[in-house]
Amino acid sequence: MAGGDGPNPGAGGPVAAGGRPLIITEDPLLLDDLLRLCAAAGAEPHVQHAVPEQSGASGDERGDGSGGGGAGVVGVAGAVGVGWESAPLVLVGDDAARRVRGAPRRDGVFLVGRDLDDPHVWQRALEIGAEEVLTLPDAENRLVDRIADVVEGAGRPALTVGVIGGSGGAGASTLACALALRAARAGERTILIDGDPLGGGMDVLLGGETAEGLRWPDFAASRGRVGAGALAESLPELHALRVLSWDRGDRVVVPPAAMRSVVAAARRRGGVVVVDLPRRVDEAVAEVLAQLDLVLLVVRGELRAVAAAGRVAAGVRMVARDVRVVVRGPAPGGLDAEAVAGLLGVPLAGEVPVEVGLPGRVAEGEPPGSHGRGALARFCDGFWQRALGSAQGVAV
């Protein structure tokens, strides 16, 4: 199983995270747009409207960067307390491209404009060493994401695992809860996402239905980017992990755009994300499946359960990149794990033996996976040891 690499930082490699972007433009309309997009990304930029006289305006006006003060942009940056080379991200308005041609080459430079039909814009981008040309308004989402990566840091995304039942009563929610709990106890930064509005609530399974924090209905209107840090801080913290579940209201639908934004924010936080999935694959669930590194299909070792799981697997595999089966059993007189995987045509991730006394302990308020010597906890610990290898890409 591949845990996934970090986001592509651009052709020139990563830039420093956690700083303030630098905007260079004299175009007031473009500046308004860039300030608005920075605000949407939670960033407070440094702004340079024009080239100061000491930076060599005459040379900049010729476009050769040969003014008396050296490369124009170096003087520009110095005037506002941030350097061309030290800023984590530089957004150069197309109007200012000629004035920065003499600046040292660096990563994290974007040329931003509005004219899609300008045949020379790519030449200007090449001259200043820009990683990409972003044309507004079409590239607004891309630009907000890039700015927010600077604010939040663009490290390795979370290893994101979905759990889905092949049939009713397969124990998918129990496994999802236990996986998240064991990951958190192993020291991983963990978010458990309840993607099944009809499942009873993962916060209830963890004994935290009254815990303070946001639930899914609070995020239903989210369409743009959700901040990773803000998301985690807003969720209830139960047993050393963060949980996004449902409230006790009657809302059972979250728009696909909101689902996509929230799961993407959880992934950007890093660590581990576990998602408990419903057995239906609608548009919102498809948005989640597309972001998962691995889907675990939980199946009982019985023929009818396998038949039902085959239909679920067919829908999931249309979107998910990697699907493995976890067999619950053995069932008396049923199928063994290898036979189940063979009938489904899905690789086997492992078998979870029946754990004596688990339902009673859960009913008494002990979350699944809490009993470190139990079969469920042992399965989860082994899973994470394989999945979270030194390169976060060890096969399961």
Side-chain angles (χ1 to χ4, degrees):
M1 178 195 68
D5 295 325
N8 180 8
V15 296
R20 295 171 62 182
L22 171 63
I23 296 174
I24 302 176
T25 183
E26 291 182 356
D27 182 339
L29 296 179
L30 179 60
L31 177 59
D32 285 346
D33 283 339
L34 294 178
L35 290 175
R36 171 175 56 83
L37 297 177
C38 283
E44 182 181 353
H46 291 279
V47 178
Q48 179 58 50
H49 297 273
V51 179
E53 291 183 6
Q54 65 265 31
S55 67
S58 59
D60 292 324
E61 290 171 356
R62 293 195 302 269
D64 59 7
S66 60
V73 72
V74 176
V76 172
V80 293
V82 62
W84 166 269
E85 295 184 63
S86 64
L89 187 72
V90 180
L91 305 177
V92 179
D94 193 28
D95 64 290
R98 289 192 304 171
R99 296 196 302 276
V100 303
R101 283 197 320 194
R105 294 303 173 98
R106 53 151 292 165
D107 301 327
V109 176
F110 289 80
L111 184 65
V112 187
R114 288 193 182 85
D115 190 356
L116 282 170
D117 299 322
D118 184 349
H120 304 296
V121 64
W122 293 102
Q123 178 62 34
R124 292 194 292 275
L126 183 65
E127 290 172 350
I128 68 172
E131 292 182 8
E132 194 173 343
V133 174
L134 299 176
T135 305
L136 303 182
D138 293 352
E140 285 194 357
N141 289 339
R142 161 71 175 148
L143 185 51
V144 169
D145 283 349
R146 197 65 178 86
I147 297 169
D149 282 340
V150 168
V151 176
E152 297 177 355
R156 183 185 295 276
L159 178 59
T160 309
V161 178
V163 185
I164 188 168
S167 62
S173 295
T174 297
L175 178 59
C177 183
L179 282 169
L181 185 65
R182 300 310 298 181
R185 291 193 175 181
E188 295 291 333
R189 188 159 45 179
T190 305
I191 294 180
L192 174 60
I193 296 177
D194 186 353
D196 186 359
L198 304 179
M202 297 300 287
D203 55 349
V204 175
L205 198 54
L206 287 162
E209 60 268 28
T210 61
E212 293 186 0
L214 300 184
R215 265 67 173 183
W216 265 121
D218 299 304
F219 295 96
S222 299
R223 289 181 176 83
R225 180 174 175 126
V226 177
L231 170 69
E233 292 174 4
S234 71
L235 300 178
E237 184 174 8
L238 305 170
H239 301 276
L241 58 93
R242 296 285 180 169
V243 183
L244 175 54
S245 190
W246 300 83
D247 62 10
R248 312 283 80 86
D250 56 3
R251 187 182 188 103
V252 295
V253 176
V254 171
M259 190 74 76
R260 178 177 62 249
S261 296
V262 169
V263 174
R267 293 188 72 241
R268 289 195 306 272
R269 184 171 177 259
V272 164
V273 174
V274 179
V275 186
D276 182 40
L277 296 164
R279 285 189 290 127
R280 69 181 187 280
V281 181
D282 57 19
E283 188 177 354
V285 173
E287 291 286 359
V288 179
L289 290 172
Q291 299 191 61
L292 299 179
D293 296 302
L294 174 68
V295 177
L296 296 178
L297 176 65
V298 186
V299 184
R300 298 194 310 273
E302 303 169 356
L303 191 57
R304 287 187 62 193
V306 173
R311 292 189 289 273
V312 176
V316 171
R317 294 173 79 177
M318 293 179 64
V319 185
R321 70 188 82 175
D322 191 353
V323 181
R324 311 288 178 95
V325 63
V326 174
V327 178
R328 295 293 302 271
L335 304 168
D336 64 27
E338 294 289 349
V340 171
L343 288 170
L344 291 172
V346 176
L348 179 64
E351 181 178 8
V352 181
V354 173
E355 184 173 326
V356 177
L358 177 61
R361 293 197 300 272
V362 171
E364 293 174 359
E366 181 180 302
S370 297
H371 189 53
R373 296 183 179 179
L376 184 58
R378 292 199 305 272
F379 172 86
C380 295
D381 290 345
F383 173 86
W384 290 125
Q385 287 171 8
R386 297 188 299 272
L388 294 170
S390 58
Q392 199 182 11
V394 178
V396 172

